């Protein structure tokens, strides 16, 4: 019998190899030879066949070698761009639309005159009711309406517009521009001289400048040389 290890022939029934001393009674288990790897294929019970080898992968095709300069076909010229088309001329600007006047939504029949809306009337300023009046010797009257009534002669150039303008009544020119003032408060009516040139007299007594004196119904008041009588006016 041959040794499984060194292949030396030994007598039949020998326990050990005469050459290498290997144990001939208990040889190592046989191992199936391993085949070289030639591509992966998943083994399976249905398509596994050890005798069939998979086909080798195809070799890559080598890239063509570049042609040396001066040989072969010349390179093709780059494609030419088509000529640009000329842009069409822009249209002229349109004129701005003119706004037409609004028409009345009411359609009137031909021959019917169009009615115009009435114009708003100006508001009339209501003057307060007078609390008294100055009555002249010729019967002319000047109402006293405000809490303070300036008595004198008007002067537009100086901006003086008295509530009681005595320009027409003062023929001798003895009344000043700002001569006197007649006013009222919650309890009484008074008269005051404003520093006039010819003074103010109440019932014959001259008044001091800047002092307010009570004024009652029937009192006589003299501005320069112009004489008046004061009369109260009942309210309402």
């Amino acid at each position: 019998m041959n040794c499984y290890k060194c292949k030396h022939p030994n007598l039949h029934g020998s326990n050990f190899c005469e050459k290498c001393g290997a144990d001939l009674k208990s040889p190592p288990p046989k191992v199936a030879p391993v085949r070289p790897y030639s591509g992966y294929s998943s083994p399976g019970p249905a398509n596994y066949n050890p005798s069939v080898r998979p086909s080798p992968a195809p070799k890559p095709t080598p890239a063509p070698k570049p042609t040396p300069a001066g040989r072969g076909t010349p390179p093709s010229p780059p494609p030419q761009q088509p000529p640009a088309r000329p842009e069409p001329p822009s249209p002229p600007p349109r004129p701005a639309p003119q706004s037409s006047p609004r028409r009345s939504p009411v359609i009137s029949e031909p021959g019917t005159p169009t009615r115009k809306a009435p114009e708003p009337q100006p508001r009339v300023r209501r003057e307060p009711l007078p609390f008294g009046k100055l009555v002249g010797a010729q019967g002319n009257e000047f109402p006293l309406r405000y809490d303070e009534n300036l008595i004198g002669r008007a002067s537009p150039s100086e901006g003086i517009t008295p509530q009681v303008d005595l320009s027409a009544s003062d023929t001798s020119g003895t009344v000043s521009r700002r001569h006197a003032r007649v006013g009222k408060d919650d309890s009484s009516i008074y008269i005051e001289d404003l520093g006039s040139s010819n003074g103010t007299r109440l019932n014959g007594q001259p008044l001091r400048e800047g002092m307010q004196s009570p004024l009652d119904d029937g009192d006589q008041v003299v501005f320069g040389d112009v004489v008046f009588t004061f009369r109260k006016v009942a309210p309402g």
Side-chain angles (χ1 to χ4, degrees), residues 11-210:
L11 295 176
H12 183 74
S14 300
N15 294 328
F16 299 95
C17 178
E18 294 179 357
K19 185 177 182 180
C20 63
D23 190 1
L24 301 178
K25 293 298 184 179
S26 56
K30 295 182 178 182
V31 179
V34 179
R35 297 182 180 180
Y37 177 75
S38 61
Y40 175 78
S41 62
S42 58
N47 58 354
Y48 176 71
N49 189 357
S51 62
V52 179
R53 295 183 179 181
S55 59
K59 296 181 179 181
T61 304
K65 296 181 180 181
T67 305
R71 297 181 182 181
T73 57
S76 58
Q80 297 182 358
Q81 297 290 339
R85 295 182 180 179
E87 297 183 358
S90 58
R94 295 182 179 181
Q98 298 181 356
S99 58
S100 57
R102 290 189 175 182
R103 297 183 178 180
S104 174
V106 181
I107 301 175
S108 59
E109 297 181 359
T112 304
T114 305
R115 295 183 179 179
K116 295 183 179 180
E119 297 182 357
Q121 298 295 332
R123 297 181 62 182
V124 179
R125 182 181 177 182
R126 294 184 178 181
E127 296 288 344
L129 297 176
F131 62 90
K133 59 183 178 179
L134 296 174
V135 182
Q138 290 79 18
N140 51 339
E141 297 181 358
F142 295 93
L144 304 172
R145 301 177 180 275
Y146 307 99
D147 293 342
E148 292 185 353
N149 300 269
L150 177 63
I151 300 171
R153 290 188 296 112
S155 176
S157 60
E158 299 177 11
I160 300 175
T161 55
Q163 283 76 33
V164 179
D165 186 6
L166 300 182
S167 301
S169 302
D170 183 25
T171 57
S172 57
T174 57
V175 177
S176 302
R177 301 291 185 187
R178 299 178 182 272
H179 196 100
R181 175 171 55 192
V182 176
K184 71 178 183 69
D185 52 22
D186 296 337
S187 59
S188 62
I189 301 173
Y190 63 88
I191 185 172
E192 176 185 358
D193 185 79
L194 299 179
S196 61
S197 300
N198 297 305
T200 303
R201 295 187 299 275
L202 174 62
N203 297 325
Q205 298 295 325
L207 299 179
R208 295 179 60 182
E209 177 184 353

